[in-house]
């Protein structure tokens, strides 16, 4: 391995290039040094293993890596594998894959696996046109990111406090880095409370990166403190998207990309239920799977790229027509108006009806994946209720941490409700046990869950087991009570749209337009619905994103004829 200046003592950020062809390796190192040698330390390696050794040495010296350039086709360790391991050491380093023309599909794969920043076709001659402009842009992006101060929000609370859990979940789902300090388990938490003048009776306490202490903060206070937007920039838009799950994010991205002034309103965090999925493996374009968090973060970045405003901690409680405008009202009494609205509020998991569990929510009983709790389950038994994909994905996630994962399924098998790929994966994990024809019928606990009662629906026998962790993924309750009297819904509360509103040729009551509702249009013209909240929708991420995009095309048709 060689460097531009092996004896230099001044710490400089490094550019690491790795290619198993010695001639190519020397060539790119020469071109890099000619342009960047005065500012960056150029490190050349001829294998992924050699490059990883350099990465670790640089980390130990307390220096930085600005960019990683790796050849795709290398024996032993491919360029993608190298980048995936290197990004764990230097997550801010810009990642560039060197590919031949025939390997462009590899670059697409790398985008999925390592969040690739760029791929560069070989040869790159002349470098002034094909190499330097690319790397100039990547190094500028690294410099901007590296100079930003690290955000270190700290949360002090009780391990078995429902509000402490809610705060951690809120921060995690909004991609806000934080450190969790459990009172009684971490001395730093005691020191922070003392510095904040608190005695631990009012928790959680959130200490911001600039040292401000928030005692028992609301979600809105958290959002404002960590830099999330809660106030709209104006009072009128082309499109309001209500809900930030896959359907809402899809609608926002397409709305913004097509020139509509778009605002997305979310009551907690973008991503919805899909955002908490540990691994989605049947989404188009991600052959190696993608976590809900990764998918959500990329969608957020796309929406921001197209100048979509995203408001968090805003609860919409009413919708009404006002002339040609459509107006949504928030729970604080303020309003927002637009030409059109897309409802993408998704669904929530139903509460377990078992006695004893209501008071333990957030204290051992959780609705949804609650991935922030994964490390706390280490070496313990975890019970998961549900037989659909969300439950299966959670089982696979918690199997990484727990001693045993028990999947409690009311049906006779998983075949009717879960994708085959997940069923096969679960069957291959020894620590996952599937209990069919079984229900949770009770639970007990003091400050947290301690026991569960399981009933075998075939025999009628009940068994009580020790349990501290229960995650429920049952049913789908639409969040549409606030639409009562405004839009037509089915008996379960899902919003009716398009052909479902037309009965025997008759349009919905109060429909004044001389046409039938468009496919995703609700009983109020100009208001559309997409994703899980729509009646008879397919409960999958891909279909939700597709409906969000389709809804925007119908918004354009509506605006053209309005």
């Amino acid at each position: 391995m060689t460097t531009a200046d092996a004896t230099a003592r001044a710490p400089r950020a490094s550019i690491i290039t790795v290619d198993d062809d010695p001639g190519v390796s020397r060539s790119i190192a020469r071109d890099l040094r000619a342009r960047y040698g005065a500012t960056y330390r150029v490190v050349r390696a001829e294998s992924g293993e050699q490059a990883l050794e350099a990465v670790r040495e640089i980390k130990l010296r307390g220096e930085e890596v600005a960019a990683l350039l790796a050849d795709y086709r290398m024996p032993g360790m491919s360029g993608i594998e190298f980048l995936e391991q290197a990004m764990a050491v230097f997550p801010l380093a810009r990642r560039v894959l060197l590919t031949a023309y025939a390997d462009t599909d590899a670059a697409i794969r790398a985008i999925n696996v390592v969040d690739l920043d760029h791929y560069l076709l070989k040869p790159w001659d002349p470098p002034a046109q094909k190499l330097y402009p690319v790397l100039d842009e990547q190094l500028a992006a690294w410099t901007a990111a590296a100079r930003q101060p690290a955000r270190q929000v700290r949360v002090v609370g009780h391990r078995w406090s429902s509000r402490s859990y809610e705060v951690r979940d809120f921060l995690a789902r909004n991609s806000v880095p934080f450190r969790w300090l459990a009172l009684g388990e971490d001395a730093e938490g005691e020191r922070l409370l003392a510095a904040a003048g608190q005695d631990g009776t009012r928790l959680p306490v959130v200490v911001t990166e600039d040292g401000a202490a928030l005692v028992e903060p609301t979600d809105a206070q958290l959002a404002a403190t960590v830099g999330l937007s809660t106030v709209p920039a104006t009072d009128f838009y082309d499109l309001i998207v209500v809900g930030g799950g896959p359907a809402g994010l899809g609608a926002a991205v397409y709305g913004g990309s097509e020139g509509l002034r778009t605002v997305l309103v979310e009551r907690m965090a973008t991503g919805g239920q899909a955002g908490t999925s540990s691994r989605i493996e049947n989404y188009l374009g991600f052959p190696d799977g993608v976590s809900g968090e990764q998918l959500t973060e990329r969608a957020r970045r796309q929406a921001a790229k197209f100048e979509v405003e995203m408001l968090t901690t805003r609860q919409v409680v009413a919708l009404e027509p006002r002339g040609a405008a459509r107006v949504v009202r928030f729970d604080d009494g303020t309003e927002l108006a637009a030409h059109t609205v897309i409802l993408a509020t998704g669904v929530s998991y139903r509460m377990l009806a078992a006695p004893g569990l209501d008071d333990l929510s957030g204290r051992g009983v959780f609705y949804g994946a609650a991935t922030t709790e994964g490390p706390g389950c280490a070496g313990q038994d975890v019970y998961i209720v549900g037989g659909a994909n969300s439950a299966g994905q959670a089982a696979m996630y918690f199997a990484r941490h727990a001693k045993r994962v028990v999947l409690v399924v009311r049906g006779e098998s998983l075949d009717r409700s879960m994708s085959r790929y997940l069923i096969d994966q679960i069957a291959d994990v020894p620590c996952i046990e599937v209990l069919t024809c079984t229900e949770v019928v009770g639970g007990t606990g003091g400050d947290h869950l301690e026991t569960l009662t399981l009933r075998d629906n075939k025999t009628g026998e009940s068994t009580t087991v020790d349990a501290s962790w229960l995650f429920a993924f049952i049913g789908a309750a639409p969040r549409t009570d606030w639409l009562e009297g405004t839009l037509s819904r089915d008996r379960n509360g899902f919003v009716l749209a398009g052909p479902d509103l037309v009965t025997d040729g008759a349009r919905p009551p109060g429909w004044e337009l001389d046409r039938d509702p468009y496919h995703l249009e609700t009983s109020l013209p100009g208001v559309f619905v997409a994703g899980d909240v729509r009646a008879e929708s397919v409960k999958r991420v891909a279909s939700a994103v597709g409906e969000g995009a389709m809804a925007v095309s119908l918004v354009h048709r509506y605006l053209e004829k309005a």
Side-chain angles (χ1 to χ4, degrees), residues 303-316:
K305 171 184 175 182
F306 295 120
E307 300 182 345
V308 173
E309 286 185 47
M310 287 174 279
L311 309 181
T312 57
T313 65
R314 301 307 302 265
Q315 178 75 38
V316 178

mmCIF file with all atom_site columns, all heavy atoms in Angstrom, residues 303-316:
data_model
loop_
_atom_site.group_PDB
_atom_site.id
_atom_site.type_symbol
_atom_site.label_atom_id
_atom_site.label_alt_id
_atom_site.label_comp_id
_atom_site.label_asym_id
_atom_site.label_entity_id
_atom_site.label_seq_id
_atom_site.pdbx_PDB_ins_code
_atom_site.Cartn_x
_atom_site.Cartn_y
_atom_site.Cartn_z
_atom_site.occupancy
_atom_site.B_iso_or_equiv
_atom_site.pdbx_formal_charge
_atom_site.auth_seq_id
_atom_site.auth_comp_id
_atom_site.auth_asym_id
_atom_site.auth_atom_id
_atom_site.pdbx_PDB_model_num
ATOM 1   N N   . ALA A 1 303 ? -38.550 13.972 -1.055 1.00 0.00 ? 303 ALA A N   1
ATOM 2   C CA  . ALA A 1 303 ? -39.579 14.997 -0.906 1.00 0.00 ? 303 ALA A CA  1
ATOM 3   C C   . ALA A 1 303 ? -38.952 16.372 -0.670 1.00 0.00 ? 303 ALA A C   1
ATOM 4   O O   . ALA A 1 303 ? -39.380 17.374 -1.246 1.00 0.00 ? 303 ALA A O   1
ATOM 5   C CB  . ALA A 1 303 ? -40.513 14.626 0.246  1.00 0.00 ? 303 ALA A CB  1
ATOM 6   N N   . ALA A 1 304 ? -37.919 16.424 0.176  1.00 0.00 ? 304 ALA A N   1
ATOM 7   C CA  . ALA A 1 304 ? -37.241 17.696 0.431  1.00 0.00 ? 304 ALA A CA  1
ATOM 8   C C   . ALA A 1 304 ? -36.582 18.232 -0.838 1.00 0.00 ? 304 ALA A C   1
ATOM 9   O O   . ALA A 1 304 ? -36.568 19.443 -1.084 1.00 0.00 ? 304 ALA A O   1
ATOM 10  C CB  . ALA A 1 304 ? -36.204 17.518 1.532  1.00 0.00 ? 304 ALA A CB  1
ATOM 11  N N   . LYS A 1 305 ? -36.041 17.324 -1.641 1.00 0.00 ? 305 LYS A N   1
ATOM 12  C CA  . LYS A 1 305 ? -35.418 17.727 -2.906 1.00 0.00 ? 305 LYS A CA  1
ATOM 13  C C   . LYS A 1 305 ? -36.410 18.460 -3.792 1.00 0.00 ? 305 LYS A C   1
ATOM 14  O O   . LYS A 1 305 ? -36.054 19.414 -4.495 1.00 0.00 ? 305 LYS A O   1
ATOM 15  C CB  . LYS A 1 305 ? -34.884 16.478 -3.606 1.00 0.00 ? 305 LYS A CB  1
ATOM 16  C CG  . LYS A 1 305 ? -34.400 16.704 -5.031 1.00 0.00 ? 305 LYS A CG  1
ATOM 17  C CD  . LYS A 1 305 ? -33.991 15.385 -5.664 1.00 0.00 ? 305 LYS A CD  1
ATOM 18  C CE  . LYS A 1 305 ? -33.605 15.549 -7.123 1.00 0.00 ? 305 LYS A CE  1
ATOM 19  N NZ  . LYS A 1 305 ? -33.243 14.251 -7.752 1.00 0.00 ? 305 LYS A NZ  1
ATOM 20  N N   . PHE A 1 306 ? -37.679 18.042 -3.761 1.00 0.00 ? 306 PHE A N   1
ATOM 21  C CA  . PHE A 1 306 ? -38.708 18.669 -4.588 1.00 0.00 ? 306 PHE A CA  1
ATOM 22  C C   . PHE A 1 306 ? -39.482 19.740 -3.829 1.00 0.00 ? 306 PHE A C   1
ATOM 23  O O   . PHE A 1 306 ? -40.595 20.100 -4.203 1.00 0.00 ? 306 PHE A O   1
ATOM 24  C CB  . PHE A 1 306 ? -39.660 17.604 -5.134 1.00 0.00 ? 306 PHE A CB  1
ATOM 25  C CG  . PHE A 1 306 ? -39.001 16.628 -6.077 1.00 0.00 ? 306 PHE A CG  1
ATOM 26  C CD1 . PHE A 1 306 ? -38.987 15.274 -5.801 1.00 0.00 ? 306 PHE A CD1 1
ATOM 27  C CD2 . PHE A 1 306 ? -38.377 17.071 -7.231 1.00 0.00 ? 306 PHE A CD2 1
ATOM 28  C CE1 . PHE A 1 306 ? -38.379 14.375 -6.659 1.00 0.00 ? 306 PHE A CE1 1
ATOM 29  C CE2 . PHE A 1 306 ? -37.767 16.183 -8.099 1.00 0.00 ? 306 PHE A CE2 1
ATOM 30  C CZ  . PHE A 1 306 ? -37.762 14.832 -7.808 1.00 0.00 ? 306 PHE A CZ  1
ATOM 31  N N   . GLU A 1 307 ? -38.870 20.243 -2.739 1.00 0.00 ? 307 GLU A N   1
ATOM 32  C CA  . GLU A 1 307 ? -39.380 21.388 -1.975 1.00 0.00 ? 307 GLU A CA  1
ATOM 33  C C   . GLU A 1 307 ? -40.751 21.132 -1.360 1.00 0.00 ? 307 GLU A C   1
ATOM 34  O O   . GLU A 1 307 ? -41.578 22.041 -1.245 1.00 0.00 ? 307 GLU A O   1
ATOM 35  C CB  . GLU A 1 307 ? -39.402 22.642 -2.852 1.00 0.00 ? 307 GLU A CB  1
ATOM 36  C CG  . GLU A 1 307 ? -38.022 23.027 -3.378 1.00 0.00 ? 307 GLU A CG  1
ATOM 37  C CD  . GLU A 1 307 ? -38.034 24.295 -4.205 1.00 0.00 ? 307 GLU A CD  1
ATOM 38  O OE1 . GLU A 1 307 ? -39.128 24.723 -4.605 1.00 0.00 ? 307 GLU A OE1 1
ATOM 39  O OE2 . GLU A 1 307 ? -36.958 24.862 -4.433 1.00 0.00 ? 307 GLU A OE2 1
ATOM 40  N N   . VAL A 1 308 ? -40.987 19.900 -0.955 1.00 0.00 ? 308 VAL A N   1
ATOM 41  C CA  . VAL A 1 308 ? -42.209 19.577 -0.218 1.00 0.00 ? 308 VAL A CA  1
ATOM 42  C C   . VAL A 1 308 ? -42.010 19.989 1.239  1.00 0.00 ? 308 VAL A C   1
ATOM 43  O O   . VAL A 1 308 ? -40.993 19.667 1.852  1.00 0.00 ? 308 VAL A O   1
ATOM 44  C CB  . VAL A 1 308 ? -42.515 18.069 -0.297 1.00 0.00 ? 308 VAL A CB  1
ATOM 45  C CG1 . VAL A 1 308 ? -43.691 17.703 0.605  1.00 0.00 ? 308 VAL A CG1 1
ATOM 46  C CG2 . VAL A 1 308 ? -42.803 17.664 -1.734 1.00 0.00 ? 308 VAL A CG2 1
ATOM 47  N N   . GLU A 1 309 ? -42.972 20.704 1.799  1.00 0.00 ? 309 GLU A N   1
ATOM 48  C CA  . GLU A 1 309 ? -42.937 21.010 3.227  1.00 0.00 ? 309 GLU A CA  1
ATOM 49  C C   . GLU A 1 309 ? -43.451 19.802 3.992  1.00 0.00 ? 309 GLU A C   1
ATOM 50  O O   . GLU A 1 309 ? -44.425 19.158 3.590  1.00 0.00 ? 309 GLU A O   1
ATOM 51  C CB  . GLU A 1 309 ? -43.816 22.216 3.549  1.00 0.00 ? 309 GLU A CB  1
ATOM 52  C CG  . GLU A 1 309 ? -43.236 23.538 3.111  1.00 0.00 ? 309 GLU A CG  1
ATOM 53  C CD  . GLU A 1 309 ? -44.110 24.688 3.576  1.00 0.00 ? 309 GLU A CD  1
ATOM 54  O OE1 . GLU A 1 309 ? -44.514 24.696 4.759  1.00 0.00 ? 309 GLU A OE1 1
ATOM 55  O OE2 . GLU A 1 309 ? -44.419 25.555 2.744  1.00 0.00 ? 309 GLU A OE2 1
ATOM 56  N N   . MET A 1 310 ? -42.800 19.479 5.109  1.00 0.00 ? 310 MET A N   1
ATOM 57  C CA  . MET A 1 310 ? -43.232 18.357 5.934  1.00 0.00 ? 310 MET A CA  1
ATOM 58  C C   . MET A 1 310 ? -43.437 18.826 7.361  1.00 0.00 ? 310 MET A C   1
ATOM 59  O O   . MET A 1 310 ? -42.491 19.295 8.011  1.00 0.00 ? 310 MET A O   1
ATOM 60  C CB  . MET A 1 310 ? -42.207 17.218 5.849  1.00 0.00 ? 310 MET A CB  1
ATOM 61  C CG  . MET A 1 310 ? -42.243 16.475 4.517  1.00 0.00 ? 310 MET A CG  1
ATOM 62  S SD  . MET A 1 310 ? -40.932 15.248 4.324  1.00 0.00 ? 310 MET A SD  1
ATOM 63  C CE  . MET A 1 310 ? -39.577 16.342 3.834  1.00 0.00 ? 310 MET A CE  1
ATOM 64  N N   . LEU A 1 311 ? -44.661 18.745 7.837  1.00 0.00 ? 311 LEU A N   1
ATOM 65  C CA  . LEU A 1 311 ? -45.015 19.185 9.176  1.00 0.00 ? 311 LEU A CA  1
ATOM 66  C C   . LEU A 1 311 ? -45.237 17.966 10.068 1.00 0.00 ? 311 LEU A C   1
ATOM 67  O O   . LEU A 1 311 ? -45.956 17.035 9.694  1.00 0.00 ? 311 LEU A O   1
ATOM 68  C CB  . LEU A 1 311 ? -46.292 20.032 9.160  1.00 0.00 ? 311 LEU A CB  1
ATOM 69  C CG  . LEU A 1 311 ? -46.340 21.200 8.177  1.00 0.00 ? 311 LEU A CG  1
ATOM 70  C CD1 . LEU A 1 311 ? -47.674 21.933 8.318  1.00 0.00 ? 311 LEU A CD1 1
ATOM 71  C CD2 . LEU A 1 311 ? -45.176 22.165 8.417  1.00 0.00 ? 311 LEU A CD2 1
ATOM 72  N N   . THR A 1 312 ? -44.624 17.956 11.244 1.00 0.00 ? 312 THR A N   1
ATOM 73  C CA  . THR A 1 312 ? -44.828 16.861 12.189 1.00 0.00 ? 312 THR A CA  1
ATOM 74  C C   . THR A 1 312 ? -45.607 17.356 13.401 1.00 0.00 ? 312 THR A C   1
ATOM 75  O O   . THR A 1 312 ? -45.750 18.556 13.627 1.00 0.00 ? 312 THR A O   1
ATOM 76  C CB  . THR A 1 312 ? -43.485 16.280 12.660 1.00 0.00 ? 312 THR A CB  1
ATOM 77  O OG1 . THR A 1 312 ? -42.701 17.335 13.232 1.00 0.00 ? 312 THR A OG1 1
ATOM 78  C CG2 . THR A 1 312 ? -42.731 15.660 11.508 1.00 0.00 ? 312 THR A CG2 1
ATOM 79  N N   . THR A 1 313 ? -46.088 16.406 14.177 1.00 0.00 ? 313 THR A N   1
ATOM 80  C CA  . THR A 1 313 ? -46.871 16.636 15.406 1.00 0.00 ? 313 THR A CA  1
ATOM 81  C C   . THR A 1 313 ? -48.082 17.525 15.143 1.00 0.00 ? 313 THR A C   1
ATOM 82  O O   . THR A 1 313 ? -48.470 18.304 16.004 1.00 0.00 ? 313 THR A O   1
ATOM 83  C CB  . THR A 1 313 ? -46.008 17.238 16.539 1.00 0.00 ? 313 THR A CB  1
ATOM 84  O OG1 . THR A 1 313 ? -45.555 18.555 16.180 1.00 0.00 ? 313 THR A OG1 1
ATOM 85  C CG2 . THR A 1 313 ? -44.810 16.355 16.826 1.00 0.00 ? 313 THR A CG2 1
ATOM 86  N N   . ARG A 1 314 ? -48.675 17.395 13.966 1.00 0.00 ? 314 ARG A N   1
ATOM 87  C CA  . ARG A 1 314 ? -49.882 18.148 13.657 1.00 0.00 ? 314 ARG A CA  1
ATOM 88  C C   . ARG A 1 314 ? -51.031 17.169 13.448 1.00 0.00 ? 314 ARG A C   1
ATOM 89  O O   . ARG A 1 314 ? -50.999 16.342 12.541 1.00 0.00 ? 314 ARG A O   1
ATOM 90  C CB  . ARG A 1 314 ? -49.692 19.024 12.419 1.00 0.00 ? 314 ARG A CB  1
ATOM 91  C CG  . ARG A 1 314 ? -48.575 20.041 12.522 1.00 0.00 ? 314 ARG A CG  1
ATOM 92  C CD  . ARG A 1 314 ? -48.677 20.929 13.764 1.00 0.00 ? 314 ARG A CD  1
ATOM 93  N NE  . ARG A 1 314 ? -49.911 21.665 13.877 1.00 0.00 ? 314 ARG A NE  1
ATOM 94  C CZ  . ARG A 1 314 ? -50.062 22.924 13.444 1.00 0.00 ? 314 ARG A CZ  1
ATOM 95  N NH1 . ARG A 1 314 ? -49.058 23.553 12.858 1.00 0.00 ? 314 ARG A NH1 1
ATOM 96  N NH2 . ARG A 1 314 ? -51.201 23.536 13.597 1.00 0.00 ? 314 ARG A NH2 1
ATOM 97  N N   . GLN A 1 315 ? -52.035 17.257 14.289 1.00 0.00 ? 315 GLN A N   1
ATOM 98  C CA  . GLN A 1 315 ? -53.176 16.359 14.256 1.00 0.00 ? 315 GLN A CA  1
ATOM 99  C C   . GLN A 1 315 ? -54.325 17.028 13.509 1.00 0.00 ? 315 GLN A C   1
ATOM 100 O O   . GLN A 1 315 ? -54.835 18.070 13.934 1.00 0.00 ? 315 GLN A O   1
ATOM 101 C CB  . GLN A 1 315 ? -53.615 16.017 15.674 1.00 0.00 ? 315 GLN A CB  1
ATOM 102 C CG  . GLN A 1 315 ? -54.829 15.119 15.764 1.00 0.00 ? 315 GLN A CG  1
ATOM 103 C CD  . GLN A 1 315 ? -54.514 13.676 15.418 1.00 0.00 ? 315 GLN A CD  1
ATOM 104 O OE1 . GLN A 1 315 ? -53.453 13.158 15.762 1.00 0.00 ? 315 GLN A OE1 1
ATOM 105 N NE2 . GLN A 1 315 ? -55.420 13.028 14.726 1.00 0.00 ? 315 GLN A NE2 1
ATOM 106 N N   . VAL A 1 316 ? -54.736 16.446 12.385 1.00 0.00 ? 316 VAL A N   1
ATOM 107 C CA  . VAL A 1 316 ? -55.879 16.966 11.627 1.00 0.00 ? 316 VAL A CA  1
ATOM 108 C C   . VAL A 1 316 ? -57.160 16.401 12.234 1.00 0.00 ? 316 VAL A C   1
ATOM 109 O O   . VAL A 1 316 ? -57.289 15.183 12.417 1.00 0.00 ? 316 VAL A O   1
ATOM 110 C CB  . VAL A 1 316 ? -55.770 16.570 10.139 1.00 0.00 ? 316 VAL A CB  1
ATOM 111 C CG1 . VAL A 1 316 ? -56.988 17.084 9.376  1.00 0.00 ? 316 VAL A CG1 1
ATOM 112 C CG2 . VAL A 1 316 ? -54.496 17.151 9.534  1.00 0.00 ? 316 VAL A CG2 1
#
